Structure formats: C-alpha cells, structure tokens
Amino acid sequence: MPLTSPGNDDDTGENHQPTLRKNTAEPVEQTLKQNSLCQWIYAKPQRALDLRQYLARGRKRRTRKKGRKAKGPRIPMRVPIADRPEAVGSRKGFGHFESDTVVGAAPSRRCMNTQVERRSRRLFARLVDDKSASATARAEYEIFKDIPPAARVDRTWDNGTEASLHMLVDEALGMLTYFADPYSSWQRGSNENRNGRIRRYLPKGTGFEDLAQEDLDAIVGEINDTPMKLLGYKTPNEVWDEEIAKLQSKAASPNTSVALTN
C-alpha cells in the first residue's frame, strides 16, 4: 500500500521541515492563525463552499472545547486526571503516555491501539481484532513490555470502556493509569494529534481488515521520522533516543556515596 502522506503539516502546524520564513519581510499581520482560519471556514457564509475538505480532518462541524456532561463512571478503579502529578502535565518528565483507539470502517471490527509518549511525541500503534477491553489490554502489553520500565511510567486514557481492564496491564508492568475528564480530548492532545496524522494515510471510512501490522509500522515510522517545530526540528525518534540514552547513562552511573576513613 502507498505510504506517502498528503502533506507534512499537521492541524496544529507543528510538523514540518525548517523554513526561511523568519528571514522574510512578510508582515505578521498577513499571517493567519490556524484557529482563526478554522473559525472562518466553519462560519455560515462559507458553508456552501465546503472548504472543510481542505482541513486535515474535515469534520462536518467544528468541535468545541467545552465538554458535555458525563454519563457516569464505567471503568473500575478509575483514577481521574486531577490526581495525576502536575509534573506530567509540564512534559518535563519522560515516560508518560497518552492512549486511544482508532476505529476502522464497518463491517470490520478491526481497530488500532495508539500510545504517544508526551515528551518526545513518539507514536506506538498496534492492530487489534476489536475494541474489547481484553484485546486492548493485550495490545497495550505488547507495546509496553519491551520498553524500559523508567520509560513507561504511566498513561492517560479517555473514558472508553476498552480501557476497563487497565489494572491488568498496570499490575503486569508496574504502570499507572489516569483518565481524562469526559469529553475533554484536548487533555490528551498529543495522542489526538498523532491519530490525526495516521488518518492522513488511513482516512475515516477506511477499513483495516486488509492492513498488515508491517504496513502500520511503516506509517508510524514515517510519522516518527518527521521533524517537529516544537521539538526544535528534531524528530520524535531522535528525542526518544536521547531520553533513552539519558536513562541508560543514569543506570550505568548511579550516584554512590563513598565513606572516607583515616
């Protein structure tokens, strides 16, 4: 299957090659903010033009940040994001993930489990036969089991029932799981962003029944090898490798105190 993406810029404008824009004389006033552009496209006068087809996701309606009311907890041992350490939100720490499920088109029930490390933005993805909690737990285990424990501290899910067996993975791998507020996808923005990148290769309406794990790995590889502005034009793979090297160096040279005696 072709693995070429339609473009390098994602919907937040953070994935692209370095440019010489800062050396140009283009006035700042002529630069359209992404948010303002989306507002204009979805405004009533422009609806007849159907300009949303040129956006990365092309939703019929613009999603709002203000969430809806939750229907109630459906996940055992659910720990809310409010109890997550503040250091995780700052992205200064490493090994904190955001989790989600990308669903393929019916009638196939096949979907994919996606995990994104918050600091490096590195994406991991694994195909699963369905969206069941047991299939999801197995996929998570397969993704995390070969990652060093210090590089997989915790993950933050939405409130889908596919995460209801999170405790099995937590106990097997020594991880923690937190859950975002209901209908608050921006609290897992990195994962939503990476899922959007996957959708550029596999648009909504695409079934995953003929997709091999090797094909998905190739897509993920291209995404992780794309430089990101917010990473200083490094790729997620490069930042991930740097952080892993730091952990290995720390493990090889632990701080020890030496007692001096006469």
Short mmCIF file of all heavy atoms in Angstrom, two decimals, residues 249-260:
data_model
loop_
_atom_site.label_atom_id
_atom_site.label_comp_id
_atom_site.label_asym_id
_atom_site.label_seq_id
_atom_site.Cartn_x
_atom_site.Cartn_y
_atom_site.Cartn_z
N SER A 249 22.43 5.98 30.73
CA SER A 249 23.61 6.57 31.35
C SER A 249 23.43 6.68 32.86
O SER A 249 24.36 6.41 33.64
CB SER A 249 23.88 7.95 30.75
OG SER A 249 24.97 8.58 31.39
N LYS A 250 22.23 7.05 33.25
CA LYS A 250 21.94 7.18 34.68
C LYS A 250 22.00 5.83 35.38
O LYS A 250 22.50 5.70 36.50
CB LYS A 250 20.56 7.80 34.87
CG LYS A 250 20.20 8.12 36.30
CD LYS A 250 18.87 8.82 36.39
CE LYS A 250 18.51 9.16 37.83
NZ LYS A 250 17.19 9.85 37.92
N ALA A 251 21.52 4.79 34.68
CA ALA A 251 21.54 3.45 35.27
C ALA A 251 22.96 2.90 35.36
O ALA A 251 23.31 2.16 36.29
CB ALA A 251 20.68 2.51 34.43
N ALA A 252 23.81 3.28 34.39
CA ALA A 252 25.18 2.79 34.38
C ALA A 252 26.08 3.52 35.37
O ALA A 252 27.11 2.99 35.79
CB ALA A 252 25.78 2.92 32.98
N SER A 253 25.68 4.74 35.73
CA SER A 253 26.49 5.55 36.65
C SER A 253 25.63 6.04 37.81
O SER A 253 25.37 7.24 37.92
CB SER A 253 27.12 6.73 35.91
OG SER A 253 27.86 6.29 34.80
N PRO A 254 25.17 5.15 38.66
CA PRO A 254 24.33 5.58 39.78
C PRO A 254 25.13 6.40 40.77
O PRO A 254 26.33 6.24 40.92
CB PRO A 254 23.87 4.24 40.40
CG PRO A 254 24.96 3.29 40.04
CD PRO A 254 25.44 3.71 38.69
N ASN A 255 24.44 7.32 41.46
CA ASN A 255 25.08 8.13 42.47
C ASN A 255 25.39 7.26 43.69
O ASN A 255 24.51 6.64 44.25
CB ASN A 255 24.19 9.30 42.88
CG ASN A 255 24.04 10.28 41.75
OD1 ASN A 255 24.97 10.49 40.97
ND2 ASN A 255 22.86 10.91 41.66
N THR A 256 26.64 7.18 44.06
CA THR A 256 27.03 6.40 45.23
C THR A 256 27.84 7.27 46.17
O THR A 256 28.60 8.15 45.73
CB THR A 256 27.87 5.18 44.83
OG1 THR A 256 29.01 5.62 44.10
CG2 THR A 256 27.04 4.22 43.97
N SER A 257 27.66 7.04 47.41
CA SER A 257 28.43 7.80 48.40
C SER A 257 29.58 6.95 48.89
O SER A 257 29.46 5.75 49.10
CB SER A 257 27.53 8.19 49.58
OG SER A 257 26.99 7.03 50.19
N VAL A 258 30.72 7.57 49.01
CA VAL A 258 31.93 6.87 49.42
C VAL A 258 32.33 7.36 50.81
O VAL A 258 32.49 8.55 51.05
CB VAL A 258 33.09 7.12 48.44
CG1 VAL A 258 34.34 6.42 48.90
CG2 VAL A 258 32.68 6.67 47.05
N ALA A 259 32.45 6.42 51.75
CA ALA A 259 32.85 6.78 53.11
C ALA A 259 34.36 6.89 53.19
O ALA A 259 35.08 5.97 52.79
CB ALA A 259 32.34 5.73 54.09
N LEU A 260 34.83 8.03 53.65
CA LEU A 260 36.26 8.25 53.79
C LEU A 260 36.68 7.99 55.23
O LEU A 260 36.10 8.53 56.18
CB LEU A 260 36.61 9.69 53.39
CG LEU A 260 36.27 10.06 51.94
CD1 LEU A 260 36.62 11.53 51.69
CD2 LEU A 260 37.02 9.17 50.96
#
